[in-house]
Amino acid sequence: MNKVTVKDIEVKGKRVLVRVDFNVPLDEKTGDIADDNRIRAALPTIKYLKDHGAKVILMSHLGRPKGKVVKNLRLNAIAERLSQVLRQPVAMAPDCVGAGVERMVAAMKAGDVLMLENLRFHKEEEAGDLPFAQALARLGEVFVNDAFGAAHRAHASVSVIAGFLPAAAGFLMEKEVANLGKIMENPVRPFAALLGGAKISDKVSMLENIMDKVDYVMVGGGMAATFLKAESYEVGQSLVETDMLDTASRLIELARKKKVNLMLPMDFVVADEVNSGARTENVPTAEIPGEKRIVDIGPQTIDAFSLELRKCKTIFWNGPMGIFEIPEFAGGTKELAKLLAGLEAMTVIGGGSTAEAVGEMGLADKMTFVSTGGGASLEFLSGDELPGVAALPDKE
Ligand code: 3PG
Ligand code: MG
């Protein structure tokens, strides 16, 4: 990565404002942090700054409160968890801008860590508002962006603020860009993209861009239904993105032209309800019953994907193969996660639910790289420079 990083700048005694992505998944019932990987992933940058005598001011969003204060989306619990993993107190600010926060910042000593309140409690954050970015910038003397997961958003704290302070990339940002850059620039072939999740719509530009680089595109998850419908299969009650049918056909045609082996599932697990305990059956793709829904890929598909994945030297995986949250529908995702964990290939996991699945299975260490960016990793693979990266200065 040809960007200025924290190592290139003087931080001693300075107020360093760090954008992190602590938008962690929360347990639906309890509201507790369900996965703290994004917090742990920012530790190298936070520790480095602390150890080099900086005053560390952290800012993040959580969820989508849309410009209002939402109690459940306060960052207190996150500051607390950070304090545990960092083994030092982390002060919590009542807001992210304003006189009160400025006073807290002014009282900081070298090595102190302060967490600002959820940026998205202000609608100006997502609007990329200049005065708001300036108000944030006033808190620091240097800006460090370590929020790869949010780098695809042109928000005030992500890209706009870099116009007001000397800026640098944090270690996580650097690592993400290096790893994802590697699979885009010179992947060792054969190269497979294993894709799942609900929707095609958020993967179209990525698919178009990688068709020149990959040997395989393997499609599972809910998005397979749209591809199959475009190929005139009946998919029962499965969700189909009807406005994406032409796009799906075009992608199938593009793969044919580029000689990419686009593999769709040949069988599925289907169920009449999306519930634990629902009755399931395995059916071939041509025989999906009208009243049932696709909930996972089937055993033949797992075998077919596995056979080809074993030949690959580079694999990018984004999106579960089925409704992973429900144990009965997690088989395809689990089998392929186990397979990837055992391969001698460069295995890169896109963030979001795929990273969670791999983490829950205890396989994260067995992958070459697990990205903390869901949407961001997809946009990175679309080939466009992310706003949060573009805003950082290049190395001299
Ligand atoms: C993410 O989790 O995708 C990032 O934190 C960005 O959040 P957003 O999708 O709500 O912008
Ligand atoms: Mg997102």
Side-chain angles (χ1 to χ4, degrees):
M1 190 187 65
N2 192 35
K3 296 285 179 184
V4 171
T5 76
V6 276
K7 285 206 168 150
D8 302 319
I9 53 173
E10 182 54 69
V11 299
K12 195 171 162 55
K14 293 207 170 134
R15 288 175 280 126
V16 181
L17 191 53
V18 189
R19 178 57 156 106
V20 286
D21 187 351
F22 287 172
N23 182 31
V24 294
L26 302 175
D27 185 290
E28 267 176 47
K29 288 188 198 104
T30 61
D32 294 343
I33 297 169
D35 176 351
D36 65 3
N37 272 309
R38 280 181 163 179
I39 300 173
R40 292 172 187 278
L43 288 178
T45 298
I46 298 171
K47 282 185 176 155
Y48 174 91
L49 290 171
K50 238 166 46 75
D51 293 348
H52 288 77
K55 302 166 187 172
V56 186
I57 306 155
L58 302 171
M59 52 180 177
S60 178
H61 73 285
L62 174 64
R64 293 178 175 168
K66 298 255 178 295
K68 292 203 179 63
V69 176
V70 175
K71 212 175 121 242
N72 298 341
L73 296 177
R74 287 198 177 277
L75 296 187
N76 301 61
I78 286 172
E80 211 168 289
R81 179 64 62 90
L82 173 64
S83 157
Q84 286 161 7
V85 294
L86 196 59
R87 297 166 200 274
Q88 93 163 51
V90 173
M92 184 68 215
D95 198 350
C96 60
V97 286
V101 181
E102 284 173 25
R103 274 195 299 276
M104 280 183 92
V105 167
M108 287 175 79
K109 295 197 242 355
D112 282 355
V113 180
L114 173 69
M115 180 88 235
L116 303 182
E117 187 52 283
N118 196 337
L119 293 156
R120 290 190 185 172
F121 286 173
H122 296 261
K123 63 178 189 323
E124 291 82 358
E125 161 65 358
E126 289 183 74
D129 182 72
L130 278 172
F132 181 71
Q134 265 173 313
L136 290 169
R138 256 202 306 278
L139 301 173
E141 296 163 276
V142 176
F143 169 64
V144 170
N145 194 345
D146 214 19
F148 176 76
H152 57 317
R153 306 294 186 210
H155 296 171
S157 68
V158 176
S159 54
V160 185
I161 192 172
F164 299 111
L165 288 173
F171 296 122
L172 175 61
M173 180 68 89
E174 187 180 22
K175 195 164 85 174
E176 293 271 5
V177 170
N179 277 287
L180 294 170
K182 213 184 285 174
I183 65 173
M184 291 311 279
E185 277 144 36
N186 43 25
V188 185
R189 318 254 310 232
F191 178 9
L194 175 62
L195 303 175
K199 291 188 291 177
I200 293 187
S201 44
D202 54 3
K203 298 191 181 74
V204 176
S205 35
M206 184 273 262
L207 273 163
E208 285 169 343
N209 188 45
I210 62 167
M211 286 292 186
D212 283 321
K213 311 183 195 287
V214 297
D215 303 284
Y216 300 89
V217 171
M218 301 177 193
V219 178
M223 66 186 273
T226 302
F227 275 105
L228 289 168
K229 189 81 186 179
E231 295 277 84
S232 302
Y233 284 93
E234 282 314 317
V235 295
Q237 301 302 307
S238 312
L239 285 181
V240 170
E241 286 176 279
T242 42
D243 55 339
M244 283 287 137
L245 290 171
D246 290 345
T247 304
S249 300
R250 190 167 52 75
L251 287 168
I252 290 169
E253 186 47 40
L254 184 65
R256 202 168 290 142
K257 243 191 250 156
K258 303 266 182 189
K259 301 197 166 30
V260 171
N261 187 353
L262 189 145
M263 300 176 75
L264 296 173
M266 57 253 282
D267 66 340
F268 287 101
V269 179
V270 296
D272 24 27
E273 286 174 73
V274 183
N275 283 321
S276 191
R279 269 199 31 215
T280 63
E281 72 185 286
N282 294 338
V283 295
T285 295
E287 292 166 32
I288 298 171
E291 72 287 0
K292 304 244 166 154
R293 265 187 70 161
I294 293 172
V295 292
D296 197 5
I297 55 173
Q300 284 185 19
T301 304
I302 295 174
D303 287 348
F305 285 5
S306 300
L307 188 69
E308 303 305 317
L309 287 168
R310 282 196 192 96
K311 300 175 189 163
C312 291
K313 288 281 168 270
T314 306
I315 299 165
F316 173 73
W317 182 14
N318 183 291
M321 295 292 108
I323 304 172
F324 175 80
E325 300 76 18
I326 298 172
E328 292 97 316
F329 310 156
T333 304
K334 285 194 167 163
E335 286 304 316
L336 293 181
K338 274 190 258 174
L339 178 90
L340 260 60
L343 292 180
E344 285 195 24
M346 174 158 187
T347 47
V348 176
I349 311 299
S353 44
T354 326
E356 269 176 71
V358 167
E360 263 173 49
M361 291 179 68
L363 296 175
D365 294 349
K366 300 269 188 317
M367 306 295 176
T368 310
F369 183 65
V370 180
S371 175
T372 55
S377 69
L378 289 178
E379 286 205 24
F380 189 98
L381 266 54
S382 304
D384 300 326
E385 198 177 16
L386 306 177
V389 179
L392 298 174
D394 290 331
K395 260 194 186 124
E396 291 287 296

